[in-house]
Amino acid sequence: MKHRIVVLGAGYAGAHVAGNLARRLSPADTEITVVNAEPDFVERLRLHQLAAGREIEAQKLADVFAGTGIRLRLARVTTVDPERQVVAVADAGGGGELGYDTLVYALGSHGDVEGVPGVAEHAFDVAARPSALRLRERLDSLGRRGEGGTVLVVGDGLTGIETATEIAESRPGLSVALVARGELGARLSAGARSHLRQACDRLGITVLEHTSVEAVEATRVLCADGTALASDATVWTAGFAVNPIAAASGLEVTENGQIIVDRTMRSVSHPNVYAVGDSAHAIGDNGRPLPMSCASAGYTGGQAIHAIVGRLTGRKIAKTKLVYSYNHISLGQRDGILQMVDDEGQAKPTYVGGRKAARVKAGILKISLWANSHPTFGLPKRKRRLAAAPDASRREGARVAA
């Protein structure tokens, strides 16, 4: 029997891992299945643009994986049982179970809507394609009224900044306000902070600093200081959370539910499970946990690929760098900030702003999309065979014994 590799999630990390494993491992020994709830590859880094009104074509995963030998299962993961080595899924046909020998957990993260009352019921987010489209519909309806409206973006992290500036630029008839818990752009260098403020002024964005939101209602948000801010559309970007499936499965996780992994992205509690992207609690080369980001998805995914291929084929496991070197922030279509950071994750004085930074960000997006759309580009004629197949032998022996 073949060694069964199951990849949960086909975002930046999951699609990257699945495609590279298909490129490097012989199909004579392995079978790779990708489980994803949606039929499309989601460019999460562009969801704020989709919400604001840009047309972004969604690529079908069936087309992405065509000709790779990868099996695509469109289903929602409901549970993971690492003791039995099975994954339960639900789909239109009722679902079922998938057995695995190696599991790659790449279910990513979503907007954290549970911590503040009213967020789940009344706020919008740009952490998933369906929610971004709901926000887009709301913004369209405000535009059709002809009376304008107020959009309140809560959270001044990278997602909040990109969302506020994109909406303000794309929909000048709306009033946009950005709520920051502390100082706007506090994690940026002084020069980058100044550039960000100038961009907000240019786009007419009202910035509310040192403001904490305690509750969200249908037409307003309530702040800790007792003030109420009117809002026709509240966009919540104040944090992300991971899927609770890992914590419920018995895998060793952090308090926020990320899977604790070793330097090779292998679960410290279950050695045939690997976690990549936002799902993994991975320690970077600077001794700090890698942040949830597309860059981290690439680094952790690359390390998992080396580890899985190395262990299955009996080769030495190569190590990838686990670093976080910069933040790239789009400020609408023609402006941006590229902020370099040091080994401690602190902003360096050096930054790039304006059109050049916007072009860099656009280039990164194009490269990441192309790479995930061509998962087996450069497919070698000769793929690596497994050194041994102990799991397959064990299953075969168990079936005979039964």
Side-chain angles (χ1 to χ4, degrees):
M1 296 179 68
K2 295 182 180 182
H3 187 94
R4 303 164 300 173
I5 300 174
V6 175
V7 180
L8 305 183
Y12 291 107
H16 174 61
V17 172
N20 275 269
L21 290 179
R23 180 167 60 191
R24 301 183 187 194
L25 295 173
S26 171
D29 298 327
T30 58
E31 61 180 33
I32 301 172
T33 301
V34 174
V35 182
N36 200 65
E38 301 293 331
D40 304 321
F41 175 75
V42 177
E43 288 187 83
R44 186 167 176 177
L45 292 177
R46 299 191 65 190
L47 288 180
H48 64 288
Q49 299 173 352
L50 178 68
R54 287 206 226 179
E55 294 301 326
I56 299 176
E57 183 180 357
Q59 293 190 325
K60 297 295 183 183
L61 288 172
D63 296 333
V64 170
F65 293 134
T68 65
I70 295 172
R71 302 179 180 184
L72 176 62
R73 178 72 180 271
L74 296 178
R76 179 173 56 86
V77 179
T78 57
T79 59
V80 173
D81 187 338
E83 306 305 327
R84 296 175 52 225
Q85 296 185 200
V86 297
V87 175
V89 299
D91 56 21
E97 289 187 340
L98 294 174
Y100 66 83
D101 299 304
T102 295
L103 180 70
V104 180
Y105 189 105
L107 291 180
S109 63
H110 56 269
D112 186 0
V113 299
E114 301 298 331
V116 175
V119 172
E121 295 83 5
H122 303 297
F124 299 88
D125 69 74
V126 292
R129 185 177 176 86
S131 56
L133 289 173
R134 286 195 295 271
L135 174 57
R136 179 172 178 155
E137 292 173 1
R138 177 58 176 165
L139 298 179
D140 287 343
S141 69
L142 293 177
R144 287 192 295 268
R145 292 191 325 185
E147 303 173 357
T150 299
V151 179
L152 197 63
V153 180
V154 181
D156 65 323
L158 306 189
T159 302
I161 292 170
E162 291 191 328
T163 301
T165 52
E166 187 75 29
I167 293 175
E169 181 180 84
S170 301
R171 300 175 183 265
L174 300 177
S175 298
V176 179
L178 178 60
V179 177
R181 182 182 291 273
E183 179 186 3
L184 177 66
R187 291 178 291 178
L188 301 175
S189 63
R193 286 198 302 272
S194 177
H195 186 96
L196 173 58
R197 289 184 180 277
Q198 292 175 19
C200 288
D201 291 342
R202 172 175 55 83
L203 295 170
I205 298 172
T206 300
V207 178
L208 303 171
E209 295 179 295
H210 307 289
T211 302
S212 179
V213 173
E214 289 197 336
V216 177
E217 298 180 352
T219 59
R220 64 178 187 170
V221 301
L222 306 179
C223 302
D225 62 2
T227 60
L229 304 174
S231 176
D232 295 297
T234 300
V235 187
W236 193 261
T237 66
F240 296 91
V242 298
N243 197 301
I245 289 177
S249 71
L251 292 165
E252 188 168 343
V253 299
T254 60
E255 289 186 2
N256 71 347
Q258 288 180 299
I259 298 173
I260 300 175
V261 297
D262 64 15
R263 184 56 175 76
T264 67
M265 302 305 118
R266 198 180 202 180
S267 165
V268 297
S269 61
H270 293 78
N272 60 345
V273 176
Y274 294 79
V276 294
D278 290 354
S279 301
H281 178 76
I283 304 301
D285 294 342
N286 62 358
R288 299 171 180 267
L290 290 176
M292 293 184 183
S293 68
C294 180
S296 297
Y299 292 130
T300 58
Q303 182 60 78
I305 293 165
H306 286 312
I308 293 170
V309 172
R311 289 191 173 109
L312 292 183
T313 61
R315 287 172 168 81
K316 182 180 179 180
I317 297 175
K319 286 188 177 181
T320 62
K321 290 183 178 180
L322 298 179
V323 297
Y324 194 81
S325 303
Y326 56 86
N327 290 316
H328 45 73
I329 311 169
S330 64
L331 305 173
Q333 297 187 46
R334 293 173 293 278
D335 194 3
I337 293 173
L338 181 64
Q339 174 67 69
M340 309 307 293
V341 300
D342 60 23
D343 292 340
E344 299 301 316
Q346 302 299 312
K348 293 181 178 180
T350 305
Y351 84 99
V352 177
R355 288 181 179 269
K356 182 176 181 179
R359 288 195 293 269
V360 171
K361 176 66 180 288
I364 291 172
L365 294 176
K366 288 181 180 179
I367 291 171
S368 63
L369 177 61
W370 190 92
N372 280 285
S373 301
H374 301 78
T376 55
F377 177 75
L379 188 71
K381 294 181 179 179
R382 184 176 181 181
K383 299 185 181 182
R384 296 177 179 175
R385 300 294 301 269
L386 268 60
D391 294 316
S393 300
R394 176 176 53 78
R395 293 198 311 270
E396 190 71 31
R399 183 164 56 179
V400 173

